[in-house]
Amino acid sequence: MFSWFTQVFAVIRFSLASLPQRLGSSLTALLGIAGVVAVMVGVLSIAQGVLQTMRASADGANVIVLRAGADTEMTSGLGGDEVRVIKEGPGLARDADGVVASAELFVIINLPMASAGTDANVPLRGIEMAATKVRDGFEIVDGRMYTEGLNEVVVGLGAAEEFAGLAVGDTIEVGQEDWPVVGHFSTGGGIGESEIWVDSRVLQNAYRRGNSYQAVYARLASPEAFTELKDELTTDARLSVQVQRETEYYEAQSTALYNMITGLGTVIALIMGLGAIFGALNTMYTAVSARTREIATLRALGFRSGPVVLSVLAESLLLALVGGAIGGSLAWLAFDGFRAATLNWASFSAITFSFDVNLPLLIQGIVFAAIIGLIGGFFPAIRAARTPVALALREQ
Amino acid sequence: MKFLGLIFGNLKRSKTRTILTVGSIAVAFLLFGYLAAIRVAFTAGIEVAGEDRLITREKVSLINSLPKSYEADMERLDGVDNAVHQSWFGGIYQEPRNFFPSVAMEPAELFDMFPEFVLGDAEKQAFINTRTGAIVGRKTAERFGWNVGDRVPLNSPIWPNKSGDSWDFEIVGIYDGAEKGTDTTQLFFQYDYLDEARQYGQGQVGWYTVRVTDPARAGEIATAVDALFANSSAETKTEPEGAFIQGFANQIGNIGFIIMCIVAAVFFTILLVAANTMAYTVRERTNELAVLKAIGFTDGAVLGLVLGEALVLTAIGGLLGLGLAALLVAGGDPTGNMLPMFYLPVKDVILGLVLIVVLAVVAGILPARSAQKLRVADALRR
């Protein structure tokens, strides 16, 4: 047994030592696999970024109340009276200013994208001051908060970057009015950063909405209070509403986009992976045929076929792993944190997000590379072990 | 041509290598074709947008409505041939994931403005005469198994019906697209039905499609339309149909650019593989090539032989890949009907064919040149 292992290490050492002689074809396989992993990780990181943004938006202790039957805020509607009843609901958190709940309006306006110059549907949200407490990580990072009752807006960091004309001091035109941008805010990631916020009463006037809203965002006193609140509000005869945890709401909102990107990304990665397997097979066959005499000599000296098979596999795996690591690093350097905006198909409005190259994705890429390497090395390894020694030695 | 036998003989020398090289080239072109279909899906409609059509929408936001009275005002403008209003309905069938575009408009004007929707005369007439009639595109009809004569209930989260129930439609026709790129996922129904039965928003429409008499004056007329409604309660923004759709495509993200990067990266990789294989086969056959030259083959003939081999190799792989791509694309889009269009454009197939030749030349030229320059005496002595 001991000698078997010695043989394995000896043969692998031989095979790796001769790698530089086959630099061209080895580099080809390595680059091929690197490309596959880079593309796969890159494309899937878009979906991860979207998911991350939606997750960061959702807080387990928050609820969102919409009109019964509405699938998004856009199609929801709540009267001022209904909002009052909702805010009196049991189990809601309270502080010095009253209940921690914000009745909000949601419309989209057209603003040019900074990159393409064409218009995008940018979400404009009318909020109440409590919104800054419902959304945990809210802080003003530039300028100041708007003054209640005035036509002033604050802009999320993502929106400020992706769309033109949203710097502090700029004005946006809504209807016949000019609304100055007085500050930029962060919500610690999340979809809020794609939005422009304004006092909800100002937005009601501008859009002639009377005293109506579309959604109530509220903080629960405790996560367990959800069922009590939901039962109370959905059975109240004065209301026709649905109560959802924010986590569930955002999950439903992101499903379509996430599935689309992941579906496309996976198909592309699989096709490319197939190509990389061909490339790796070609390389390893070439490597084996270049080393035919060397391998035959080893076997004539008494080395067994097991170690020979392993040495070819090891070489292929090593190339694949290095390629995978390079590809993953490239994807990480190129894509991680790359900001982009896309259309959220559920609400028809733009969301801004960052590509997210995370550890599980990188591991997935390396595993994929390893599979390519193993398949690519397997058949050539079998051939190396099976070539008759006498014949191989005679070959040029 | 007379060397073809020789070329195939050479390719048969190392069958495994030939098969693998052809395989990886096929994969590259499979990906190329597939990505072309994805690009079409994301830029859907831009290429088939009417040159003489403008889209007029509310200035601040697409979700804000415009008065129905604008139509007559627009049609009075010099250079405007016809204006047609449309309203987004947002109907869903049974459950939210069964979403497809549905639009209310004047049935008689639909076929005048959009000749790309192809429908029989009897069905057109039925659409005009039936108050709750709807026509639906082939793709959506097949998706839900609808036939002419079916009654279909739709729910609209945007426009609740006065009755409080869902909206009932009778399918009176199924239209086809005049071109491959025509969107056949939409459902059209009578604006009058919508306006009469909805709870609010009477007299309002979503947007206008405006046809100009001379496409060269489109820019000027767009400005004139917007000037007409400046300082009214609903100001407008008018742009060519193509630009409008492009704007939507841009919002989905710069997918086209990312895809071109991927294709470029893949091609570069494949190029390496193919060039490497070529170089290897030439090196391996130095002796044979020298013999060929010794028995009277010219330098040019040897160059042609190696290049021809490269071309045959890439052509087999490339055609196989494009064929597979066509098959895979015909199998439907990977997102489960979320993309309105998914097909392989003829333009991209032609581009693929050109790429096959380019790839062959780029991959084969270096080894072919070294074969050409090979000196018989040196080579035979090795």
Side-chain angles (χ1 to χ4, degrees):
Chain A
M1 206 60 212
F2 176 74
S3 85
W4 194 81
F5 274 113
T6 325
Q7 286 195 354
V8 170
F9 285 116
V11 183
I12 289 180
R13 207 160 50 87
F14 270 123
S15 123
L16 295 186
S18 64
L19 248 180
Q21 292 164 21
R22 304 185 300 276
L23 202 61
S25 98
S26 305
L27 270 182
T28 316
L30 194 134
L31 285 180
I33 292 170
V36 172
V37 172
V39 169
M40 180 180 114
V41 171
V43 174
L44 294 183
S45 76
I46 303 176
Q48 291 293 321
V50 170
L51 197 64
Q52 191 58 38
T53 299
M54 290 299 188
R55 281 208 187 120
S57 312
D59 190 318
N62 284 353
V63 290
I64 170 169
V65 184
L66 300 173
R67 185 184 71 191
D71 48 357
T72 66
E73 284 176 89
M74 191 92 102
T75 56
S76 171
L78 298 170
D81 297 336
E82 288 184 291
V83 166
R84 210 165 35 248
V85 175
I86 293 166
K87 284 186 179 175
E88 286 162 3
L92 292 181
R94 292 174 175 278
D95 65 7
D97 302 322
V99 61
V100 185
S102 163
E104 304 187 353
L105 269 88
F106 180 88
V107 300
I108 53 181
I109 62 170
N110 288 95
L111 287 176
M113 291 197 288
S115 55
T118 50
D119 280 352
N121 296 338
V122 182
L124 175 62
R125 182 182 292 279
I127 57 157
E128 296 182 302
M129 275 299 174
T132 61
K133 286 181 277 186
V134 176
R135 290 167 181 85
D136 234 350
F138 179 89
E139 58 172 334
I140 293 285
V141 290
D142 193 10
R144 59 175 173 83
M145 187 59 183
Y146 67 73
T147 314
E148 278 185 272
L150 291 187
N151 291 353
E152 294 174 338
V153 301
V154 287
V155 175
L157 278 180
E161 208 172 291
E162 288 296 322
F163 309 113
L166 292 178
V168 174
D170 287 346
T171 54
I172 56 173
E173 199 187 327
V174 180
Q176 311 275 7
E177 296 166 60
D178 284 336
W179 294 9
V181 175
V182 296
H184 287 172
F185 66 87
S186 153
T187 52
I191 199 167
E193 293 186 358
S194 314
E195 301 175 340
I196 301 174
W197 286 3
V198 64
D199 187 350
S200 58
R201 279 167 298 162
V202 170
L203 191 61
Q204 280 176 344
N205 286 332
Y207 274 71
R208 294 185 285 273
R209 291 284 177 90
N211 186 23
S212 75
Y213 298 88
Q214 279 155 293
V216 176
Y217 286 80
R219 166 138 302 191
L220 292 167
S222 71
E224 296 74 43
F226 176 74
T227 321
E228 188 193 355
L229 178 74
K230 181 176 178 172
D231 291 347
E232 177 74 23
L233 293 186
T234 49
T235 53
D236 192 316
R238 293 170 292 175
L239 300 174
S240 168
V241 297
Q242 55 181 332
V243 183
Q244 283 171 284
R245 280 187 202 274
E246 234 179 41
T247 42
E248 292 159 9
Y249 176 72
Y250 281 116
E251 201 179 298
Q253 292 272 294
S254 60
T255 313
L257 197 56
Y258 179 79
N259 286 350
M260 188 184 83
I261 299 169
T262 315
L264 290 179
T266 308
V267 172
I268 293 175
L270 286 180
I271 297 177
M272 288 187 66
L274 190 65
I277 287 176
F278 284 133
L281 278 171
N282 225 340
T283 303
M284 293 318 293
Y285 273 125
T286 311
V288 167
S289 86
R291 289 174 56 216
T292 308
R293 290 187 75 177
E294 183 190 321
I295 291 171
T297 310
L298 287 172
R299 288 184 47 210
L301 288 174
F303 282 83
R304 280 185 271 174
S305 28
V308 171
V309 168
L310 281 182
S311 81
V312 176
L313 275 181
E315 181 179 329
S316 174
L317 193 61
L318 181 78
L319 286 177
L321 288 178
V322 173
I326 292 176
S329 316
L330 278 179
W332 184 72
L333 285 174
F335 294 126
D336 194 43
F338 183 83
R339 283 208 78 94
T342 191
L343 198 64
N344 179 9
W345 294 29
S347 68
F348 214 52
S349 56
I351 85 165
T352 64
F353 64 96
S354 310
F355 288 25
D356 183 19
V357 179
N358 53 28
L359 193 61
L361 210 53
L362 287 174
I363 293 174
Q364 209 178 319
I366 301 280
V367 169
F368 194 51
I371 293 172
I372 294 172
L374 285 180
I375 298 178
F378 183 73
F379 298 99
I382 298 291
R383 173 183 285 185
R386 282 209 180 141
T387 312
V389 175
L391 200 69
L393 280 177
R394 215 180 307 138
E395 214 168 86
Q396 267 200 314
Chain B
M1 272 304 122
K2 65 180 172 182
F3 294 140
L4 215 55
L6 200 52
I7 287 177
F8 275 107
N10 279 335
L11 288 177
K12 270 190 254 165
R13 240 181 97 95
S14 168
K15 285 204 191 88
T16 322
R17 187 187 306 139
T18 303
I19 290 171
L20 289 173
T21 309
V22 165
S24 54
I25 293 172
V27 167
F29 280 89
L30 167 59
L31 199 61
F32 170 83
Y34 199 72
L35 289 176
I38 294 177
R39 190 181 51 78
V40 168
F42 279 106
T43 54
I46 295 169
E47 280 156 28
V48 292
E51 269 187 3
D52 56 352
R53 292 199 296 243
L54 307 172
I55 302 278
T56 299
R57 58 172 168 83
E58 210 270 344
K59 188 178 177 186
V60 175
S61 169
L62 188 62
I63 63 165
N64 295 353
S65 54
L66 293 169
K68 194 183 164 210
S69 60
Y70 279 12
E71 179 168 337
D73 296 339
M74 286 179 185
E75 283 171 351
R76 274 197 293 275
L77 274 181
D78 175 45
V80 172
D81 184 32
N82 192 8
V84 171
H85 64 75
Q86 288 134 90
S87 303
W88 185 254
F89 182 63
I92 48 177
Y93 180 56
Q94 290 170 338
E95 52 180 320
R97 65 184 189 88
N98 287 342
F99 169 83
F100 60 96
S102 47
V103 173
M105 64 189 306
E106 306 281 356
E109 296 210 88
L110 185 138
F111 301 104
D112 173 51
M113 186 58 89
F114 305 105
E116 63 264 41
F117 299 136
V118 180
L119 194 68
D121 283 335
E123 291 169 318
K124 281 185 189 175
Q125 207 51 49
F127 182 38
I128 293 169
N129 295 338
T130 316
R131 187 163 193 76
T132 59
I135 57 168
V136 66
R138 182 75 58 194
K139 194 169 175 187
T140 294
E142 280 170 4
R143 180 176 164 198
F144 300 120
W146 293 342
N147 293 308
V148 172
D150 283 359
R151 291 197 163 273
V152 174
L154 297 182
N155 286 308
S156 168
I158 308 175
W159 304 115
N161 193 305
K162 275 176 184 164
S163 70
D165 287 335
S166 56
W167 295 75
D168 286 309
F169 296 100
E170 183 187 339
I171 306 289
V172 295
I174 293 171
Y175 68 83
D176 289 292
E179 286 175 57
K180 246 186 177 176
T182 306
D183 182 0
T184 62
T185 62
Q186 304 180 75
L187 177 138
F188 296 101
F189 68 99
Q190 289 205 0
Y191 173 78
D192 287 347
Y193 176 40
L194 171 75
D195 207 38
E196 195 181 79
R198 62 179 160 184
Q199 289 178 7
Y200 45 82
Q202 270 71 21
Q204 298 287 309
V205 301
W207 70 95
Y208 287 94
T209 303
V210 178
R211 188 173 57 215
V212 298
T213 46
D214 177 9
R217 291 180 58 205
E220 170 202 335
I221 293 169
T223 315
V225 170
D226 290 342
L228 187 63
F229 305 112
N231 300 318
S232 74
S233 62
E235 293 189 57
T236 58
K237 173 168 176 170
T238 305
E239 58 193 336
E241 190 176 49
F244 176 78
I245 302 170
Q246 178 78 58
F248 255 97
N250 285 348
Q251 282 198 62
I252 292 170
N254 212 338
I255 301 285
F257 177 73
I258 294 175
I259 286 176
M260 287 329 288
C261 290
I262 295 177
V263 171
V266 172
F267 260 87
F268 185 67
T269 313
I270 301 296
L271 201 68
L272 278 174
V273 174
N276 190 47
T277 312
M278 291 285 138
Y280 197 83
T281 48
V282 172
R283 262 208 311 280
E284 203 182 56
R285 295 208 315 265
T286 309
N287 260 329
E288 282 171 35
L289 291 173
V291 170
L292 283 181
K293 282 191 173 183
I295 61 171
F297 275 70
T298 61
D299 287 355
V302 174
L303 176 92
L305 199 64
V306 178
L307 269 184
E309 200 178 314
L311 186 63
V312 169
L313 208 60
T314 49
I316 297 175
L319 293 178
L320 192 67
L322 287 177
L324 283 175
L327 277 180
L328 193 61
V329 167
D333 76 77
T335 60
N337 284 316
M338 277 195 57
L339 305 172
M341 269 158 246
F342 199 67
Y343 67 94
L344 190 55
V346 177
K347 203 179 70 182
D348 288 289
V349 174
I350 294 170
L351 182 61
L353 296 178
V354 173
L355 280 173
I356 288 175
V357 178
V358 173
L359 181 60
V361 172
V362 175
I365 194 71
L366 280 181
R369 288 284 293 167
S370 66
Q372 185 192 15
K373 280 192 235 149
L374 198 65
R375 287 177 48 197
V376 179
D378 290 350
L380 285 178
R381 209 182 309 139
R382 260 183 236 167

